C-alpha cells in the first residue's frame, strides 16, 4: 500500500508538470498577459467574477490564464482565494438608479425618458466570422463618442408603478438582517435575498436552460424585458470609527428588471409582477436568465401552483452551483476500486443465483414435458 501511495504521488507531480507545459503551449508564441485577458476577454472575466463570488478583474484574468480558459475551474480558484481574505464589514446597498449607464434598453417602451442606449452588444451584428481579426496587424478599435447622461433615467418599473400596474417592491427595514450565502450554508425554504445570491453566482448555462424552460410553459411566466442596464455604480462603506460612509470606488454591474403577467388573487388585483437579476461585470444573458428563474421561484409566494422544476427552489438552488456540481461529477474520475469490487462481487452473486433459478425452471419444464 505504501509503495502504491508513493507511486501515486509521483504520478500526480508529473501530471502537474504536464499541465503547466500544456497551459503554456508553444513557447515560440508570446504568453498571454493578464491585461490582454481582462481587456479583450472581459465577458469571460465577468462570468468568472460572478460565479467566483469575487469582484476583481485582475484575479479573474489570472484564474482564466491558470485554468487554460476553463471558466468553471477559474471560478473555483476565485472562491478558494476568497476564503483566505479577511472580511472587514459589508458595503452599503448599491443604487443602480444612479448608474453611469453604458447600455440601457427596454423591450416594453420604445420612447423612454432618457432614451435607449444600445451600447456594446452582439444583438445587431451578423453572426459571421470576421477574418480580419485573424490577420496580423489588427487595426485599432474605432473611437466612439462618449455621451455622459446627466439627467436621471427613471426605471420602466417606476412608470408602471405610477399607474399601480405592477406589484410594489416589498419594504425592507433598515436593520433587517440580510443572509450571506458565503458564510452560512443554504437551508430551505430560502428567502429571496439568499435565492438571488445563489442565482447570481450560479452557472450561467444551467440558469439559461431553466430560463428557457419557463418560456416554454414549465414555469408559468410570460416575460417582457422591462429594462436592462449596464454601467458603473459607486460602492460605499460605512466606517464605524468615522461615523459616516466613504466611497470605495466603482464597479461594473449588469441589471435586469423582467416584467411578468399575474392574474391576481383574493388579496391582490391583476397586475404585473417582477423578476430581478444583477451580476458584477457585463453579463446580460446571465441576468435575463436569472430574472426569469427568480420570478418562477416566487410561485408559492404569489399563490401559484408549483408543477415545474423551475418553481421548486430546492431543485434549482441545490443544482445551480457549478463548483459543487463539478466536484460531484468529477469526483467520479477518482479511484473507486474498493466500491467497484464490492459491486462486482454483488453482481456476480446475483447473476449466479439468477442462473441457478433459470436452470431449475428449465429442468422443471423438461420434466413436465417428459411426463
Amino acid at each position: 500500500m505504501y509503495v502504491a501511495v508513493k507511486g501515486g504521488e509521483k504520478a500526480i507531480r508529473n501530471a502537474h508538470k504536464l499541465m503547466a507545459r500544456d497551459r503554456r503551449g508553444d513557447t515560440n508564441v508570446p504568453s498571454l498577459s493578464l491585461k490582454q485577458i481582462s481587456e479583450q476577454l472581459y465577458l469571460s472575466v465577468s462570468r468568472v467574477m460572478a460565479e467566483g463570488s469575487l469582484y476583481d478583474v485582475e484575479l479573474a484574468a489570472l484564474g482564466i490564464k491558470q485554468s487554460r480558459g476553463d471558466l468553471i475551474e477559474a471560478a473555483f480558484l476565485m472562491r478558494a482565494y476568497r476564503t483566505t481574505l479577511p472580511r472587514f464589514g459589508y458595503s452599503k446597498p448599491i443604487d443602480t438608479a444612479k448608474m453611469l449607464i453604458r447600455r440601457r434598453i427596454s423591450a416594453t417602451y420604445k420612447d423612454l425618458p432618457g432614451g435607449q442606449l444600445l451600447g456594446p452588444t452582439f444583438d445587431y451584428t451578423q453572426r459571421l466570422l470576421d477574418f480580419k481579426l485573424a490577420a496580423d496587424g489588427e487595426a485599432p478599435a474605432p473611437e466612439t463618442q462618449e455621451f455622459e447622461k446627466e439627467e436621471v433615467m427613471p426605471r420602466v418599473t417606476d412608470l408602471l408603478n405610477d399607474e399601480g400596474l405592477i406589484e410594489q417592491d416589498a419594504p425592507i427595514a433598515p436593520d433587517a438582517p440580510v443572509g450571506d450565502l458565503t458564510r452560512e450554508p443554504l437551508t430551505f425554504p430560502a428567502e429571496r435575498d439568499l435565492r438571488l445570491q445563489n442565482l447570481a453566482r450560479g452557472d450561467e448555462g444551467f440558469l439559461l436552460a431553466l430560463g428557457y424552460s419557463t418560456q416554454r410553459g414549465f414555469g408559468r411566466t410570460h416575460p417582457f424585458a422591462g429594462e436592462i442596464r449596464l454601467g458603473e455604480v459607486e460602492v460605499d462603506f460605512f466606517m464605524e470609527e468615522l461615523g459616516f460612509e466613504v466611497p470605495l470606488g466603482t464597479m461594473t454591474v449588469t441589471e435586469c428588471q423582467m416584467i411578468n403577467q399575474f392574474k391576481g388573487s383574493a388579496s391582490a388585483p391583476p397586475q404585473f409582477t417582477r423578476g430581478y437579476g444583477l451580476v458584477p461585470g457585463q453579463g446580460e444573458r446571465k441576468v435575463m436568465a436569472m430574472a426569469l428563474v427568480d420570478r418562477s421561484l416566487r410561485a408559492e409566494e404569489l399563490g401559484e401552483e408549483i408543477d415545474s422544476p423551475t418553481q421548486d427552489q430546492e431543485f434549482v438552488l441545490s443544482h445551480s452551483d457549478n463548483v459543487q456540481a463539478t466536484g460531484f461529477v468529477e469526483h467520479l474520475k477518482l479511484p473507486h476500486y474498493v466500491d467497484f469490487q464490492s459491486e462486482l462481487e454483488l453482481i456476480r452473486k446475483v447473476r449466479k443465483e439468477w442462473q441457478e433459478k433459470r436452470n431449475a425452471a428449465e429442468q422443471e419444464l423438461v420434466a413436465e414435458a417428459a411426463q
Side-chain angles (χ1 to χ4, degrees):
M1 178 63 71
Y2 181 75
V3 173
V5 169
K6 293 295 288 186
E9 289 180 352
K10 182 179 180 181
I12 290 172
R13 286 196 298 269
N14 287 335
H16 289 166
K17 293 178 181 178
L18 289 171
M19 175 62 74
R21 186 193 69 182
D22 288 354
R23 181 197 60 75
R24 177 59 182 87
D26 188 348
T27 55
N28 293 319
V29 177
S31 176
L32 277 174
S33 69
L34 300 188
K35 194 67 173 176
Q36 286 175 308
I37 296 173
S38 62
E39 290 292 331
Q40 300 178 47
L41 300 178
Y42 186 68
L43 296 182
S44 295
V45 168
S46 295
R47 177 172 178 178
V48 170
M49 290 193 298
E51 296 175 9
S53 297
L54 181 61
Y55 186 83
D56 191 304
V57 173
E58 186 174 359
L59 289 179
L62 175 60
I64 292 173
K65 180 175 181 177
Q66 182 176 333
S67 65
R68 301 171 62 199
D70 185 333
L71 301 188
I72 296 179
E73 180 68 20
F76 199 163
L77 292 171
M78 290 280 279
R79 289 198 198 177
Y81 179 74
R82 180 181 50 76
T83 61
T84 69
L85 302 176
R87 176 164 293 179
F88 301 106
Y90 292 88
S91 63
K92 305 297 291 183
I94 60 174
D95 186 357
T96 55
K98 298 179 180 179
M99 180 186 298
L100 181 60
I101 293 177
R102 286 194 279 144
R103 171 164 163 79
R104 185 246 195 167
I105 61 167
S106 171
T108 53
Y109 288 95
K110 179 181 178 181
D111 297 318
L112 285 172
Q116 304 236 23
L117 297 176
L118 297 186
T121 177
F122 292 117
D123 290 347
Y124 313 104
T125 62
Q126 293 178 315
R127 265 65 178 196
L128 301 174
L129 284 174
D130 185 356
F131 290 99
K132 294 179 181 178
L133 300 178
D136 294 334
E138 177 185 354
E143 295 184 1
T144 57
Q145 183 179 358
E146 296 291 338
F147 295 93
E148 184 172 343
K149 293 287 180 178
E150 297 180 354
E151 70 272 18
V152 175
M153 292 189 178
R155 303 179 187 280
V156 168
T157 50
D158 293 338
L159 301 178
L160 293 171
N161 193 45
D162 290 341
E163 298 184 58
L165 298 178
I166 192 168
E167 63 173 334
Q168 298 284 331
D169 275 326
I172 301 176
D175 57 348
V178 178
D180 187 349
L181 197 59
T182 66
R183 290 296 180 97
E184 300 292 337
L186 184 66
T187 58
F188 300 100
E191 297 297 327
R192 195 180 182 202
D193 57 343
L194 287 174
R195 298 203 304 262
L196 288 171
Q197 290 178 44
N198 182 287
L199 296 178
R201 71 177 197 166
D203 181 72
E204 181 177 318
F206 181 75
L207 294 182
L208 179 64
L210 290 181
Y212 176 44
S213 75
T214 69
Q215 295 177 269
R216 297 190 64 250
F218 296 91
R220 295 177 175 269
T221 64
H222 190 282
F224 297 91
E227 186 172 9
I228 299 169
R229 293 184 174 210
L230 164 68
E232 281 65 47
V233 294
E234 191 169 84
V235 180
D236 294 324
F237 183 76
F238 182 79
M239 301 289 291
E240 293 185 0
E241 58 271 25
L242 298 179
F244 55 84
E245 299 175 10
V246 296
L248 296 180
T250 61
M251 65 181 294
T252 302
V253 297
T254 309
E255 180 187 48
C256 175
Q257 293 268 7
M258 199 68 73
I259 300 171
N260 297 266
Q261 290 182 353
F262 181 55
K263 296 180 180 178
S265 64
S267 59
Q271 59 187 337
F272 291 113
T273 54
R274 304 168 186 260
Y276 187 74
L278 178 77
V279 295
Q282 185 174 355
E284 203 165 297
R285 184 189 303 119
K286 172 71 171 288
V287 292
M288 294 182 70
M290 179 180 171
L292 290 170
V293 177
D294 169 53
R295 171 57 181 83
S296 190
L297 288 175
R298 299 181 60 207
E300 183 176 2
E301 167 195 343
L302 297 171
E304 297 173 339
E305 182 180 355
I306 298 178
D307 55 10
S308 300
T310 317
Q311 297 170 299
D312 184 337
Q313 64 170 258
E314 187 167 359
F315 172 80
V316 173
L317 304 183
S318 295
H319 301 100
S320 64
D321 193 308
N322 55 25
V323 171
Q324 292 187 23
T326 296
F328 209 81
V329 170
E330 293 196 353
H331 95 282
L332 298 174
K333 296 186 292 186
L334 301 177
H336 288 76
Y337 309 135
V338 175
D339 293 341
F340 181 72
Q341 290 302 316
S342 65
E343 292 286 339
L344 193 59
E345 288 301 318
L346 176 61
I347 198 68
R348 285 170 175 165
K349 179 181 178 181
V350 172
R351 281 177 62 88
K352 182 179 179 181
E353 294 174 353
W354 176 83
Q355 190 64 52
E356 290 174 351
K357 290 180 180 179
R358 183 174 181 178
N359 291 341
E362 290 177 350
Q363 291 174 2
E364 185 176 346
L365 289 174
V366 170
E368 291 178 355
Q371 294 177 357

